[in-house]
Structure formats: structure tokens, C-alpha cells
Amino acid sequence: MMNVSNYIDILRNVTANETLHESQFSNNVALIIYQTLFVTASLIGAALNACFILVFVLTSQLRTPMHQLLASLSVADGLTSLMFMILVPFPIAQGGQWICICKCMAGYGLTLAQMLNLLLVTGDRFIGIVFPYGYATWITQRRVVFTVIVTWVYVFASATAAAVQCGLKSMQDTSCIITLGTKDGFNYFFASHYVVLFAFMIFAYGRIGNIMLHHRRQIAAAVAPAQAINDDFKIQLKVTKDVFIVVCTSVFCLGFTPVYYIQYRINGTEDMTMRLIRNIFVIINSILDPFIYFFRFEEFKQALQALVSSFFNLFTT
């Protein structure tokens, strides 16, 4: 049975010569196993996120601002799994410059989309808990849709800038190394988004944690009308706790990507262990998020059960 070092050696051999022919790939049984496992995990992630998006689209009760933001995050997760499934095992020699451009757009753009959507979800919960009376006025469905559209336009523009740099670089040589195909400033620009996300997450959930502690102290002394208000607020806190699990899981899993890019740029050589870890955790994140939605969010669990029952009745009658 192969250990981690075997996979790292396999990955090093693949990335050291991106122009290997398909026949050379097929002769390496270990590489086929690695690619099969990776593609299978990516397919699972894409399918789970597609299921979540389907539940959101078909259930009108889920058309709330927070659920819309989670759906946008799920789109980013699902596309990440899909693109990794298609592009990571694909040899550059089979697609040349266009595959290099697609890899560059996916490598930068989709991770950026995940980070920005996590930032939006965290901001939604911050306003909902810290400014509960202004939440319904400030956070409307129309504003959320507009913000999501602007976010994805920004992601596409940034990914296109990265793809152009990689495309021009790949015209000079046959390699397709994303971190070396883009300028130093662009890599730090990309990593700065993660720094902003991490800092805002610490600040936002620090404030939310203080409010939760204060809320617990007030429950025992609350009279009946105040207790009813507390009950409503407790629902919001439960949702915020569930979102916190999603955000923390994603921030941890995505943290390996900017580290991988920056260390490659600084050292000038690729750390294959970091690349393997980064690829694994990107897929783990895409798989874990929909699981958290369906197991922690009661509204999604009930909507999924209702849809499954409807489809079952449709095919059995």
C-alpha cells in the first residue's frame, strides 16, 4: 500500500514534466490510482454541491438573504470540484496553452470566489447579530443578489488577469506553472484576500461571541415578553453557530492555497508536499460544506427530505 511519500513522488514526476504523453501516464499504475481517487473525490464534491443548489432553487422558503449567500458559496465550491476534476489530471500536452489558461483561471478565480463568498456570509451574520434591528432593512434580497453579481464579476476579472499572464508566459515555454506565470504583485494581491477574510472572521465572531455570552446572562432574568424576544434571538444565534462551522472549516481548508502560492514564489521551487496538501484540502472543503448544510441546518434537511419524497412519489405512481 502506498504511503504519502509515494504520492508526493508521483506528483513531483507529473509536475516536473507537464508535457508527458498520455501513453506515459497510462503506464504508471500508481499515477492512475492517484488520479482516480482525486477525480472520484472531486465528483462527489461537485454532486453534493449540485444537490444543495437544486434544493435551494426548488424550495421557495429558502429564498432568504443568508441562504442566497450560502447558495453562491456552494456554486463556488461545486465549480471548484468540477474544474479540479477536469483540469488537474489533464496533461498540458493534450491542450497546450488553452489548458494552461483554464488552469490559471480556475486556480486563482474559484479560490478567490470561495474566499469572497465566505466574507459575505460572515458579514451577513455579523450584521444579523450585532445590528439585529437594522438587519431586515439593510440586508434585502435585491441587495444580496446585486452584491453576489458584483462579487462574481470581480472574480471573473481577476481570474482573467491571471489567465492572460499565464497565457503569455506559456507562449515563451511549454511549462504551465501558475505561480511563476503571474507577477509577484498579483500573487500577493491574491493572498491579501485571505488575510482580509481571516482578520474579519476573527473580528466578527469575536463580537458575536461577546454578544452570545451577554445573551446567556440575560436569559435567567428575562420576564415573559423579553423571554419571547430571547427565543427569537436564540434562533439567529443557532444559525450563526452553524455558519461559523462552515466558515471556520472553509478558512482552514483554503488557507493552504495562498501559502502554497507565496512559498512557491519566494523560494522559486515548488514544495510538492504543500501542493498535495493544498489539492486534498480544496476537495475536502467542497465535500464538507454541503454535508454541514444538510446536517446542521434544519431548514435544508427538511427541504431535502421533502424533495426526495416528492421525487420518490413521482416515480412510484
Side-chain angles (χ1 to χ4, degrees), residues 52-202:
F52 174 81
I53 295 168
L54 182 65
V55 170
F56 170 78
V57 171
L58 297 180
T59 308
S60 58
Q61 293 86 349
L62 298 178
R63 308 291 173 77
T64 66
M66 187 200 70
H67 293 137
Q68 288 174 325
L69 294 174
L70 290 178
S72 179
L73 175 60
S74 188
V75 169
D77 288 340
L79 287 176
T80 299
S81 292
L82 188 63
M83 290 298 100
F84 265 67
M85 178 181 66
I86 297 173
L87 296 176
V88 169
F90 202 101
I92 297 300
Q94 302 297 320
Q97 185 181 4
W98 290 108
I99 292 298
C100 181
I101 290 174
C102 290
K103 281 192 173 186
C104 203
M105 288 195 71
Y108 280 107
L110 292 178
T111 304
L112 184 60
Q114 289 173 304
M115 291 190 292
L116 292 178
N117 278 287
L118 287 169
L119 191 64
L120 294 178
V121 170
T122 302
D124 173 86
R125 289 297 82 206
F126 177 76
I127 296 175
I129 299 301
V130 179
F131 306 102
Y133 297 107
Y135 178 80
T137 303
W138 300 340
I139 309 298
T140 63
Q141 290 192 34
R142 180 174 297 181
R143 289 177 179 176
V144 167
V145 170
F146 176 78
T147 303
V148 168
I149 292 174
V150 170
T151 299
W152 279 97
V153 170
Y154 175 79
V155 166
F156 181 77
S158 300
T160 301
V164 169
Q165 295 178 63
C166 288
L168 294 175
K169 178 68 174 178
S170 67
M171 293 174 63
Q172 301 174 9
D173 52 58
T174 58
S175 65
C176 183
I177 302 175
I178 296 176
T179 50
L180 299 183
T182 53
K183 298 183 181 301
D184 286 343
F186 192 87
N187 286 276
Y188 290 110
F189 164 76
F190 171 80
S192 68
H193 292 81
Y194 183 84
V195 175
V196 172
L197 168 63
F198 186 81
F200 182 65
M201 182 193 75
I202 297 297

Side-chain angles (χ1 to χ4, degrees), residues 245-287:
I245 295 174
V246 174
V247 173
C248 282
T249 302
S250 297
V251 167
F252 172 77
C253 291
L254 296 179
F256 294 98
T257 298
V259 171
Y260 163 71
Y261 285 163
I262 295 301
Q263 68 83 26
Y264 197 162
R265 196 72 202 192
I266 292 176
N267 299 333
T269 57
E270 186 172 22
D271 186 334
M272 303 310 300
T273 303
M274 181 59 68
R275 173 169 178 166
L276 180 62
I277 292 173
R278 173 247 185 178
N279 288 349
I280 290 173
F281 275 98
V282 165
I283 298 303
I284 288 177
N285 176 65
S286 296
I287 294 175

